[in-house]
Amino acid sequence: MRHQTPVTQLPSWIALGSHSTALKALHLRDLFASDPARANRFSLEAEGIFLDYSKNRITDETLALLLQLARESGLAESIEAMFRGDAINLTEKRSVLHTALRAPRTAEIFSGGVNVVPDVHAVLDKMEVFAERVRSGEWTGHTGKRVKTVVNIGIGGSDLGPVMAYEALRHYSARDLQFRFVSNVDGTDFAEATLDLDASETLFLVASKTFTTLETMTNARTARQWLLASLGDEAAIAKHFAAISTNAAEVSKFGIDTANMFGFWDWVGGRYSMDSAIGLSTMIAIGGANFRAMLAGFHAMDTHFRTAPFEQNLPVLLGLLGILYTNFFGAQTSAVLPYDQYLKRFPAYLQQLTMESNGKSVTVDSAAVDYETGAIYWGEPGTNGQHSFYQLIHQGTKLIPCDFIGFAKSLNPLGAHHDILVANLFAQAEALAFGKTSDEVRAQGTADWLVPHRTFSGNRPSNMILAEELTPEILGKLVALYEHAVFTQGIIWRIDSFDQWGVELGKVLAMKIVPELQSETEPAETHDASTNHLIRWYRSRR
Ligand code: F6P
């Protein structure tokens, strides 16, 4: 793909540059005071998700320029290209069709000339049969006992999606089953996850798109030994292991019966795979009907993204606001602050989604970028974060745009808990936007020397994302909202949001170092002085 005009030379980008200078002089306090309709105008409800983006440092002109940037970047055509199955993952020459994973049975979506939808539904149906057998106790282990614990072994997209979704939807999960997630190659992860488990009641799901990932295969082999040490019979593997992968050859090489394999396809990126077979643990936890409700939520947001005009398009707006802060306000990071304990792993999930997708510095035209790309995403659930890092967001020297996420109803209504939680949610956004002036502080009788310390500058932007209740469907919508916001940004930055070459080098070097740590004889010192030194240090003490 060749772009004629660099993004930084687009009329909208140039205009945003000068406009943002004027914007920086405006305060949210004044913008709200002078415009009573602002909250109405800069908020939007679609697909059960309410987005109030009025506490962003924007005016009507900002919004118009951002929307112009989306148009000048060819976003509409790019959206169509993705949904159509074009090979938009250019560096890997692949379609990007996670949207097909949640398409209805009757849809027709083509990759390489083949309609992929029947295969998607065949796998979903197979997953559902398996999940229901495990849930009902019909699936029994080698000694005839039903499964009590499901252990998902995977890493990256083969872990973060499953663990996030399990935690998020725990309310809907089968409480007579427990779920564990092993990802780290640190043996502690496996050891602690299995410490109190009975092998005869444990089912391992080995989740790996490639089935070659070092961490996952190491953990899977350890799981195999652990199981055999207890059950002592190779035949037990078939009853205690299932595989989720695109690589049937490696699955059978590992010794897992491919009858217990759930497939997916190279057009599903790891970080976009939680609604593929990678979600098998989720489906076992919440059941087929709830899983399908989650898929329907994803699909509803897909349709919204594809069809809503940009000015009423949730993912487009969210993505564009991120561009504003990254490229025109110099913000380096973005905080994701869910006010719901069930979403405690949502920030970690979003880190891979956003940063593995948009942490790139070369464009699809193979040129180095001369502008900032992907922001650093981080966060913790509220209210915990308030007693930790919020100080820096309120009074630090850095501009940190925040996404607050909350719900009207609690799944665990306990006394006044939920009202207190939501009051904190709204209060934080209010405090960040409006702050507290030195006059207000002084008027409260504060000593002069203390006034600067107790003053809040405000003008710190945030989005408020609300939904009625955390349901499987809403979770699907929320995740798809971020997936498509990431896509929107990737198109504007002209990067390939669907490859991840940056993780390769470390993997290759680690494979070289492993034997150097283990060899009986001193290895040749082939690294830089520091790495050689570290290897010597480790060998002398291991
Ligand atoms: O970290 C690189 C990566 O390829 C991720 O993109 C992916 O989610 C993860 O490794 C796990 O890969 P796999 O599912 O093939 O084991």
Side-chain angles (χ1 to χ4, degrees):
M1 175 183 296
R2 290 233 70 83
H3 289 93
Q4 297 303 322
T5 314
V7 61
T8 51
Q9 296 305 312
L10 292 176
S12 52
W13 188 283
I14 294 169
L16 275 163
S18 45
H19 171 72
S20 62
T21 308
L23 211 50
K24 284 172 194 152
L26 302 179
H27 198 291
L28 282 168
R29 268 197 293 263
D30 305 317
L31 290 172
F32 271 89
S34 63
D35 178 7
R38 182 180 172 88
N40 251 340
R41 209 169 58 260
F42 293 146
S43 57
L44 168 67
E45 184 148 12
E47 300 305 334
I49 303 240
F50 177 66
L51 170 68
D52 176 356
Y53 58 100
S54 63
K55 294 194 189 79
N56 281 288
R57 292 174 65 175
I58 56 170
T59 63
D60 292 302
E61 190 186 350
T62 325
L63 201 55
L65 288 172
L66 287 169
L67 292 166
Q68 188 188 332
L69 176 61
R71 284 191 295 274
E72 287 175 0
S73 298
L75 179 61
E77 300 87 84
S78 298
I79 292 172
E80 274 317 298
M82 173 173 71
F83 277 92
R84 207 168 42 223
D86 291 7
I88 61 163
N89 175 355
L90 290 171
T91 71
E92 296 181 318
K93 298 191 173 64
R94 287 178 181 165
S95 305
V96 173
L97 275 179
H98 43 279
T99 51
L101 297 170
R102 50 261 194 161
R105 224 175 261 278
T106 49
E108 291 193 335
I109 301 169
F110 293 87
S111 175
V114 178
N115 179 14
V116 299
V117 179
D119 285 351
V120 165
H121 281 272
V123 173
L124 278 172
D125 294 343
K126 182 177 169 186
M127 284 165 66
E128 192 160 5
V129 170
F130 182 77
E132 293 307 328
R133 288 183 72 196
V134 175
R135 286 165 63 81
S136 67
E138 187 195 326
W139 179 279
T140 50
H142 185 60
T143 64
K145 289 189 184 165
R146 63 175 293 177
V147 171
K148 276 203 183 143
T149 307
V150 175
V151 181
N152 188 82
I153 297 178
I155 197 163
S158 302
D159 167 69
L160 289 162
V163 73
M164 180 279 287
Y166 169 67
E167 291 296 347
L169 301 177
R170 210 172 179 150
H171 177 78
Y172 305 88
S173 70
R175 300 295 180 147
D176 55 349
L177 283 170
Q178 52 170 341
F179 291 80
R180 306 257 168 104
F181 297 86
V182 174
S183 54
N184 200 333
V185 76
D186 182 345
T188 298
D189 204 8
F190 182 86
E192 286 293 341
T194 52
L195 197 63
D196 57 346
L197 298 187
D198 178 343
S200 65
E201 299 170 336
T202 302
L203 173 68
F204 289 101
L205 306 179
V206 184
S208 174
K209 180 176 170 182
T210 54
F211 230 72
T212 56
T213 303
L214 176 66
E215 293 91 331
T216 301
M217 298 331 296
T218 305
N219 279 319
R221 275 192 293 272
T222 300
R224 202 170 188 282
Q225 282 159 11
W226 177 87
L227 190 94
L228 291 179
S230 172
L231 301 182
D233 184 354
E234 285 278 339
I237 301 295
K239 303 295 284 179
H240 294 269
F241 276 84
I244 302 149
S245 187
T246 57
N247 191 344
E250 285 297 325
V251 169
S252 53
K253 226 198 281 171
F254 182 85
I256 298 178
D257 186 349
T258 43
N260 298 344
M261 173 178 156
F262 299 85
F264 61 115
W265 307 273
D266 72 355
W267 41 261
V268 183
R271 53 194 175 273
Y272 297 87
S273 67
M274 62 170 274
D275 44 7
S276 70
I278 290 290
L280 184 59
S281 57
T282 316
M283 199 195 260
I284 297 173
I286 65 174
N290 278 323
F291 194 84
R292 287 180 195 271
M294 182 181 82
L295 297 185
F298 271 100
H299 180 65
M301 188 54 72
D302 293 344
T303 306
H304 168 79
F305 180 54
R306 193 176 186 178
T307 57
F310 285 173
E311 59 277 14
Q312 286 159 35
N313 192 311
L314 291 168
V316 170
L317 290 172
L318 202 62
L320 289 175
L321 290 163
I323 297 271
L324 176 72
Y325 296 118
T326 298
N327 298 107
F328 300 98
F329 275 82
Q332 292 290 321
T333 84
S334 184
V336 187
L337 309 165
Y339 276 61
D340 190 301
Q341 190 61 20
Y342 283 127
L343 289 182
K344 66 180 181 195
R345 297 288 287 165
F346 196 61
Y349 173 80
L350 277 192
Q351 285 188 318
Q352 188 198 13
L353 179 66
T354 59
M355 290 156 75
E356 203 172 67
S357 295
N358 284 344
K360 314 283 164 68
S361 49
V362 175
T363 69
V364 288
D365 304 311
S366 303
V369 299
D370 55 359
Y371 45 88
E372 292 286 324
T373 63
I376 299 159
Y377 276 76
W378 59 285
E380 280 288 325
T383 59
N384 293 7
Q386 289 174 208
H387 300 273
S388 165
F389 52 78
Y390 276 42
Q391 166 64 37
L392 184 146
I393 308 182
H394 282 289
Q395 286 189 316
T397 53
K398 293 169 177 59
L399 179 77
I400 302 175
C402 299
D403 284 355
F404 289 103
I405 301 172
F407 299 92
K409 295 189 182 115
S410 171
L411 293 168
N412 295 295
L414 281 179
H417 281 255
H418 197 61
D419 290 342
I420 296 171
L421 177 73
V422 174
N424 272 277
L425 165 66
F426 294 167
Q428 290 301 322
E430 185 179 17
L432 286 171
F434 302 105
K436 193 171 183 184
T437 64
S438 48
D439 287 347
E440 286 165 343
V441 178
R442 211 169 281 114
Q444 289 178 326
T446 307
D448 274 355
W449 66 271
L450 203 49
V451 168
H453 296 278
R454 302 192 65 170
T455 298
F456 289 69
S457 61
N459 217 14
R460 294 171 189 248
S462 66
N463 288 309
M464 183 66 68
I465 300 169
L466 299 174
E468 201 168 307
E469 195 171 50
L470 179 53
T471 60
E473 198 176 342
I474 284 293
L475 182 71
K477 289 176 180 177
L478 263 182
V479 174
L481 168 64
Y482 278 96
E483 285 178 348
H484 298 318
V486 164
F487 178 86
T488 298
Q489 296 183 340
I491 293 303
I492 288 169
W493 288 324
R494 299 181 180 180
I495 53 182
D496 186 339
S497 298
F498 301 100
D499 62 13
Q500 56 283 317
W501 298 106
V503 300
E504 293 303 322
L505 179 58
K507 286 188 194 173
V508 173
L509 291 178
M511 289 312 288
K512 180 170 187 284
I513 294 175
V514 171
E516 294 172 358
L517 300 182
Q518 293 177 330
S519 71
E520 293 295 327
T521 54
E522 282 297 317
E525 298 203 335
T526 57
H527 301 270
D528 61 279
S530 165
T531 308
N532 287 335
H533 191 71
L534 295 171
I535 292 171
R536 270 201 309 277
W537 184 94
Y538 179 78
R539 285 180 60 89
S540 70
R541 289 160 208 233
R542 73 190 282 261

